[in-house]
Amino acid sequence: MIIKKFKNCGLVPRFLFAFCLSNIKFLMRIKINMEKLRVHSGHKLFGSLKVCSSKNAILPILAGCVLCNGEITLLNIPNFSDINKMCEILKSLGCIVNYFNGVLHINSKNVDRFLVENSLSKDIRASIVFLGALLGRMKRCVIGQPGGCLIGNRPIDLHIQGLKALGANIYEEHGYLYCNGENMRPCTFKFEKQSVGATQNLILASVLLKGKTTLKNCAKEPEVVDLVNFLKSMGAKVSGAGTGTITIYGVDELHSTIYLPIGDRIVAGTYLTACAITGGNVEICNINPNHLSSVLKKLSFCGCQLCIKNDKIKLLANQRCKSLKSITTGVFPKFPTDMQSIFLSLMAISKGKCVITEQLFDGRFKQVPDLIKMGAKIDTFCNMAVVTGVENLSGADVSATDLRAGAGLVLAGLKADGYTTIDNVQYIDRGYDHIENDLSILGAEIERIT
Ligand code: EPU
């Protein structure tokens, strides 16, 4: 109707109308990118919060949905932008995807495409696991390069080596990976180094491959175990997840399932650390404490009191935290790199000096200049940061450079005099479902502004 009306107008209004229509998406994106978080310090955190299912568990599970010739229901699913992007890829492959109130339904009966457009793959690292899943289902895949947070060099050589060992023919042209899996067969493959994504990719590529595949030097992260549990709930035969050796016996097909992914250990760790920073007493629910053991140990060394019962962790912080002598990131069960960005803020306001060594990604100190702007004392040398704790930070306008760095700045803002404004919130939204709502439930003064 409106379009008809405009057809009868002059050329200029018609041009303006067309211009507005074509730019509405662009303008909406600018609006989202203009959103900021404003944090006011001075509030201790109290209360109880249930964390959502883990982003890094859900993303490979979503890729795994294309292996199923049926319907999948996933529970307790948060509204993270990375999850929405994976759902867009599923739709582009022929899946029907519906999300309502934390429940995600995926019907993958009609998957009939094997192309993941660059426009869909480039924003998200986990898009690379569609490679294994599509080789498993369609025996071929054409996929754009993966993107994701700029936390340093993120190669995919281990993924490619493993898939080639399974017999996939892979070459790169015009920014796309062209993969033919018609001659794929089971094998024994040892990863040169542990990689979460590469382990998940190889598992996804093997579950429908007749025979026995053995993967060695696998990543042991809970998110790998959860992917395997999800696949097993659809009838896959996989053993050894959580150890260095995973064995997969290919089955003919995977059936429908209803699955509840594990709670998000990094979101849980973020809110516990927030309480350590502000002081207070919080309870975080829906989290397996074993998934956070290295983090809980560090929080306890800092002087926090912890009480752990089943899937609940209570943290009491009634004094300024003591600095840790050192934090060194590593693969599970060592200290997670994602929590390093969060602990950088805790160490910035703790009593003493801490040396942080980042072993996984070379771009994980990007928030340091902003923390220094807020009054932190931090020196960085290559993959190390020496943090001398100060009693208080001061609020400033800062910018999220990636998901966890952004969350770290929010936490620093909770202990910074006055207001801290954090822009580039879209990075934080990749892995927290409105972080301001969760922190407000715990008593923080934080709001989203434009
Ligand atoms: N690596 C290679 N070659 C590869 C793959 C990885 O050299 O082919 C290296 C990486 O450069 C890194 C190490 O191996 O130094 C480990 O990387 P990994 O492959 O395990 O990481 P990932 O699968 O890309 C996942 C999470 C990250 C998390 C890391 C480490 C997802 C979607 N991402 O990434 O989470 O930091 O494991 O635990 O699961 C986040 O949530 O913000 C995030 C970045």
Side-chain angles (χ1 to χ4, degrees), residues 227-241:
L227 172 66
V228 167
N229 286 339
F230 164 70
L231 294 168
K232 281 163 88 171
S233 78
M234 298 194 293
K237 290 203 172 123
V238 186
S239 62

Side-chain angles (χ1 to χ4, degrees), residues 77-103:
I77 304 302
N79 185 15
F80 293 171
S81 58
D82 273 15
I83 292 174
N84 298 336
K85 284 176 190 156
M86 289 295 271
C87 288
E88 286 309 310
I89 296 179
L90 283 172
K91 285 186 210 163
S92 77
L93 297 171
C95 293
I96 302 167
V97 181
N98 284 303
Y99 178 75
F100 182 68
N101 220 3
V103 180

Side-chain angles (χ1 to χ4, degrees), residues 199-331:
T199 303
Q200 292 166 335
N201 231 339
L202 269 275
I203 293 169
L204 291 166
S206 312
V207 282
L208 294 180
L209 212 54
K210 252 206 171 86
K212 176 182 169 188
T213 299
T214 307
L215 304 176
K216 295 190 170 169
N217 197 23
C218 293
K220 299 172 189 146
E221 267 68 3
E223 294 77 13
V224 172
V225 179
D226 208 41
L227 172 66
V228 167
N229 286 339
F230 164 70
L231 294 168
K232 281 163 88 171
S233 78
M234 298 194 293
K237 290 203 172 123
V238 186
S239 62
T243 74
T245 303
I246 296 180
T247 309
I248 301 134
Y249 293 93
V251 294
D252 289 338
E253 61 173 12
L254 298 180
H255 55 71
S256 300
T257 187
I258 300 175
Y259 192 74
L260 171 66
I262 52 170
D264 197 313
R265 62 188 169 117
I266 307 301
V267 171
T270 302
Y271 297 149
L272 290 169
T273 310
C275 180
I277 287 178
T278 60
N281 190 358
V282 301
E283 176 188 64
I284 303 298
C285 310
N286 188 37
I287 185 69
N288 182 337
N290 297 329
H291 296 170
L292 261 182
S293 52
S294 59
V295 172
L296 298 179
K297 222 171 169 177
K298 296 273 186 216
L299 285 168
S300 161
F301 281 145
C302 287
C304 299
Q305 289 171 39
L306 291 155
C307 176
I308 299 165
K309 204 169 177 195
N310 304 324
D311 72 341
K312 294 184 178 63
I313 304 171
K314 278 188 187 169
L315 182 140
L316 170 69
N318 52 13
Q319 57 187 348
R320 182 177 169 207
C321 282
K322 289 183 292 204
S323 281
L324 300 157
K325 273 206 182 96
S326 64
I327 300 173
T328 304
T329 62
V331 295

Side-chain angles (χ1 to χ4, degrees), residues 45 49 51 264-277 282 284 292 295 299 338-339 341-343 403-404 406-411 414 428 431-432 435 439 442:
L45 300 188
L49 195 72
V51 291
D264 197 313
R265 62 188 169 117
I266 307 301
V267 171
T270 302
Y271 297 149
L272 290 169
T273 310
C275 180
I277 287 178
V282 301
I284 303 298
L292 261 182
V295 172
L299 285 168
D338 295 324
M339 281 302 297
S341 310
I342 310 295
F343 262 57
L403 162 56
R404 309 300 173 190
L409 288 172
V410 171
L411 266 52
L414 296 173
I428 303 174
Y432 298 84
I435 194 169
L439 287 170
L442 297 176

Side-chain angles (χ1 to χ4, degrees), residues 55-57 59-60 82 124-129 149 151-160 193-200 219 221 223 265-266 330-332 336-338 358-362 364 402-404 430-431:
K55 166 182 87 78
N56 289 347
L59 301 180
D82 273 15
I124 175 164
R125 169 73 182 180
S127 58
I128 192 66
V129 288
C149 278
I151 52 176
N153 194 19
R154 298 183 84 178
I156 52 167
D157 54 323
L158 300 170
H159 302 242
I160 305 294
K193 109 186 201 193
Q194 289 183 24
S195 156
V196 176
T199 303
Q200 292 166 335
E221 267 68 3
E223 294 77 13
R265 62 188 169 117
I266 307 301
V331 295
F332 190 82
T337 171
D338 295 324
E358 170 56 52
Q359 306 245 63
L360 272 89
F361 296 110
D362 52 18
R364 273 244 136 127
D402 66 71
L403 162 56
R404 309 300 173 190
R430 300 182 78 139

